[in-house]
Amino acid sequence: MSQVASFSIDYTGFLDAQGKAQGELPAFARDAETLTRLYKAMVLTRSFDAKAVSLQRTGRLGTFASSLGQEAVAVGLGDAMRAEDVLLPSFREQGGQFLRGVTMTELLLYWGGDERGSDYAGPREDFPICVPVGTQAPQAAGIALALKLRGEARVAVCVFGDGATSRGDVYEAMNFAALHALPLVFIVNNNQWAISVPRSRQTAAETLAQKAIGAGMAGEQVDGNDVIAVRHVVGEAIERARRGKGPALVEALTYRLSDHTTADDASRYRDDAEVSARWKEDPIARLRSYLSEAGHWTKEAEEALIEDCAARVEAAAKEYLATPPLPPTAMFDHLYAELPAALQGQRDEVAESEEK
């Protein structure tokens, strides 16, 4: 018997849970301004999430998915992308979307049930939030194929959770992407829970990154609570894909500190002690500790940032709440170039009832 192939999965992390540097940092992380920008983006994201949850609890927003504890994943990948790249998010990537020009008001409109929130003023070709699990992966493969056929130096970045890696849609997209060497990076936001199903009950694979091997692409893990590591690993994967070196899968190891969504009660299926222990890995506290120790962050700067974030979030919430709702007839207006007769009749009825 002889061995025909062997594989390994690399893991990258730069800051430990206490914010201490482990080894030499990548070049971009030696710039205090860059790290401060990443820190501010994570704090803004957390502030936005808190406000969105508050709006939902008071009946002014629909179901919302918080990224509490996972801010480093979205912020890191968002900062690694170029403006011309295409993001296909799941439903916890608001930190990256803000960096790419999506506004807080737009995301509040979306979660409030107003599809105008998906008509981004900024990244016009980024895809809207995808709530169905893993269905954006085949779309990402199609986008990446189009980019390659056009000869454009652009990359599609597709994000989904750990549970999505158990779906056929994701593997089919990975298989197609690897076969055609597409400019595509898949990012698994492994927060250890697919709603109430723990990662241990989703798959027997030792890592989720190794699922890339079966498709024929590179796969690696990164500390998803270390924004420096996420920015570095995802950035390198994106640039390899941009140079025609094919797709990759990055598994970001993090933890969901919140409920799955505001429609969930995680205390029914996981122990509070488990969640409390995971707070020690908080990505925001980790980077703040590093910046403070290096003399790049102060208590006064923190207070000013919190005040600024609160003001910006509050302004977005007011704008969202002041936006007049669309009329009921709007549900018919963006489905067809020419509305079928049957639906036209229904629209006429709705319009008539509005007038009355």
Side-chain angles (χ1 to χ4, degrees), residues 53 139 217 297:
V53 171
Q139 295 171 343
M217 71 172 71
W297 197 249

Side-chain angles (χ1 to χ4, degrees), residues 43-354:
V43 173
L44 178 64
T45 302
R46 185 166 293 186
S47 181
F48 170 82
D49 280 12
K51 183 62 178 182
V53 171
S54 175
L55 289 171
Q56 191 279 331
R57 296 306 190 206
T58 53
R60 295 176 291 173
L61 195 72
T63 301
F64 178 74
S66 171
S67 64
L68 184 66
Q70 303 165 233
E71 295 90 352
V73 178
V75 168
L77 70 90
D79 197 66
M81 297 176 67
R82 293 184 187 176
E84 64 267 27
D85 293 334
V86 180
L87 176 63
L88 293 96
S90 180
F91 46 82
R92 250 182 259 280
E93 283 67 59
Q94 44 264 41
Q97 290 179 294
F98 295 153
L99 285 176
R100 292 186 55 72
V102 177
T103 70
M104 289 183 281
T105 300
E106 287 170 339
L107 290 194
L108 289 174
L109 284 169
Y110 168 81
W111 289 110
D114 192 328
E115 287 299 334
R116 287 176 294 182
S118 298
D119 186 16
Y120 307 139
R124 298 296 297 169
E125 295 189 350
D126 278 9
F127 271 49
I129 289 171
C130 183
V131 174
V133 178
T135 56
Q136 74 273 39
Q139 295 171 343
I143 291 294
L145 177 61
L147 298 179
K148 182 175 182 177
L149 291 175
R150 293 173 181 173
E152 299 176 356
R154 302 166 66 193
V155 178
V157 177
C158 179
V159 193
F160 42 76
D162 42 300
T165 64
S166 298
R167 292 190 57 86
D169 313 56
V170 170
Y171 179 74
E172 290 165 14
M174 289 167 52
N175 183 66
F176 185 85
L179 178 62
H180 296 282
L182 300 182
L184 173 56
V185 176
F186 297 102
I187 299 173
V188 184
N189 188 342
N190 182 1
N191 64 21
Q192 312 302 321
W193 290 92
I195 308 182
S196 60
V197 181
R199 185 251 183 259
S200 61
R201 292 179 58 189
Q202 295 173 43
T203 177
E206 187 174 353
T207 70
L208 299 182
Q210 72 196 59
K211 296 193 174 189
I213 296 171
M217 71 172 71
E220 60 183 308
Q221 284 188 335
V222 65
D223 185 344
N225 293 322
D226 177 358
V227 71
I228 296 175
V230 175
R231 169 65 178 80
H232 174 69
V233 170
V234 172
E236 288 203 330
I238 288 175
E239 293 312 310
R240 287 196 302 269
R242 198 184 311 280
R243 295 193 304 268
K245 301 300 182 181
L249 173 69
V250 176
E251 176 189 2
L253 297 170
T254 183
Y255 192 81
R256 194 191 81 209
L257 293 174
S258 66
D259 296 327
H260 175 66
T261 68
T262 50
D264 176 44
D265 178 6
S267 65
R268 296 177 300 165
Y269 53 79
R270 66 181 187 184
D271 191 87
D272 288 343
E274 175 188 338
V275 181
S276 297
R278 291 289 191 157
W279 269 101
K280 297 176 182 178
E281 303 170 1
D282 179 10
I284 292 179
R286 183 180 304 199
L287 184 55
R288 181 172 60 243
S289 294
Y290 176 79
L291 289 170
S292 297
E293 186 68 23
H296 301 313
W297 197 249
T298 64
K299 179 181 177 182
E300 292 73 22
E302 181 73 13
E303 292 173 348
L305 174 61
I306 291 174
E307 183 177 345
D308 177 65
C309 287
R312 293 171 62 186
V313 169
E314 196 61 37
K318 288 182 178 179
E319 184 179 6
Y320 154 68
L321 293 171
T323 302
L326 289 167
T329 49
M331 75 177 82
F332 299 95
D333 294 340
H334 305 286
L335 296 174
Y336 301 91
E338 295 184 14
L339 201 61
L343 291 180
Q344 183 62 56
Q346 294 179 29
R347 189 189 188 289
D348 292 342
E349 289 182 20
V350 171
E352 185 177 345
S353 66
E354 280 187 77

